[in-house]
Amino acid sequence: YGHAEVAHFSRKINSRSKWVAGITLNIPISQGSRHQSAIAIQQASFQQHQASIFAMKRQLRQQAIESWLKLKSLKSQQATIKVQEEYRELYFDRSQALYELELKSDIGDAMVQNTRIEYNKLKNIYLRAVTMAKLLLLMGEDFQVLLGTSTK
């Protein structure tokens, strides 16, 4: 920034000229400290936002991996439950036959075990559906695809 001035003298003065002109310029040698600190503040803010985004992405990836592993575990449990269910059905049939022949009366125990297996089976189906929905949401997909009510 600067300042310019022009003057004309109407009176006679002991000078060589009636006109005078002058220019004043202020040129800072360095404005680096103010400018550099503003840049540093913006860079720090940018890096902080990048770190937040990176942390969120890492957290989402971790949740997706945990959901996927849980889904694999639940599928494995499903196979185990199926084997237990088959065994319990045979056990129930055996207990029912012995009860009808009046040889042994452990049919109540067989019924309780059948009910427990049925509960475990339904619980497994529910947990697989919830985990799959969570995994779909983490991937940005519409979880209603599982219900058959997707609007896509």
Side-chain angles (χ1 to χ4, degrees), residues 7-144:
H8 175 268
F9 297 106
S10 57
R11 291 198 288 157
K12 188 165 186 158
I13 56 172
N14 292 336
S15 171
R16 294 184 193 190
S17 170
K18 291 183 181 184
W19 293 90
V20 174
I23 297 177
T24 305
L25 295 175
N26 289 331
I27 302 172
I29 294 175
S30 170
Q31 57 172 290
S33 62
R34 260 188 287 166
H35 184 67
Q36 295 293 1
S37 66
I39 290 173
I41 288 170
Q42 292 300 319
Q43 285 177 336
S45 175
F46 177 73
Q47 289 173 348
Q48 185 177 14
H49 284 92
Q50 276 188 321
S52 296
I53 290 169
F54 178 77
M56 283 185 228
K57 283 181 179 180
R58 190 183 72 235
Q59 185 180 22
L60 287 173
R61 269 191 232 107
Q62 182 66 31
Q63 287 178 5
I65 289 170
E66 288 173 2
S67 295
W68 182 75
L69 290 173
K70 184 176 181 180
L71 193 59
K72 285 188 69 92
S73 172
L74 288 168
K75 284 182 181 180
S76 173
Q77 285 178 8
Q78 178 187 17
T80 303
I81 289 170
K82 184 159 182 68
V83 170
Q84 288 176 343
E85 184 178 32
E86 290 170 0
Y87 172 76
R88 292 299 163 203
E89 285 177 11
L90 291 173
Y91 180 71
F92 178 74
D93 290 343
R94 179 184 162 271
S95 296
Q96 188 176 15
L98 290 174
Y99 176 76
E100 288 173 0
L101 294 172
E102 297 180 5
L103 296 174
K104 197 172 182 186
S105 63
D106 63 349
I107 194 166
D109 180 52
M111 293 172 76
V112 168
Q113 290 179 10
N114 272 0
T115 303
R116 186 175 297 129
I117 288 296
E118 188 64 26
Y119 167 77
N120 287 341
K121 180 180 171 182
L122 293 174
K123 179 180 172 185
N124 183 274
I125 291 170
Y126 169 76
L127 290 175
R128 281 188 297 131
V130 168
T131 304
M132 183 56 103
K134 181 179 179 181
L135 191 56
L136 287 172
L137 285 173
L138 287 170
M139 293 184 330
E141 298 291 328
D142 185 8
F143 75 92
Q144 292 185 357

Side-chain angles (χ1 to χ4, degrees), residues 142-152:
D142 185 8
F143 75 92
Q144 292 185 357
V145 168
L146 294 174
L147 304 173
T149 59
S150 177
T151 57
K152 286 185 179 179

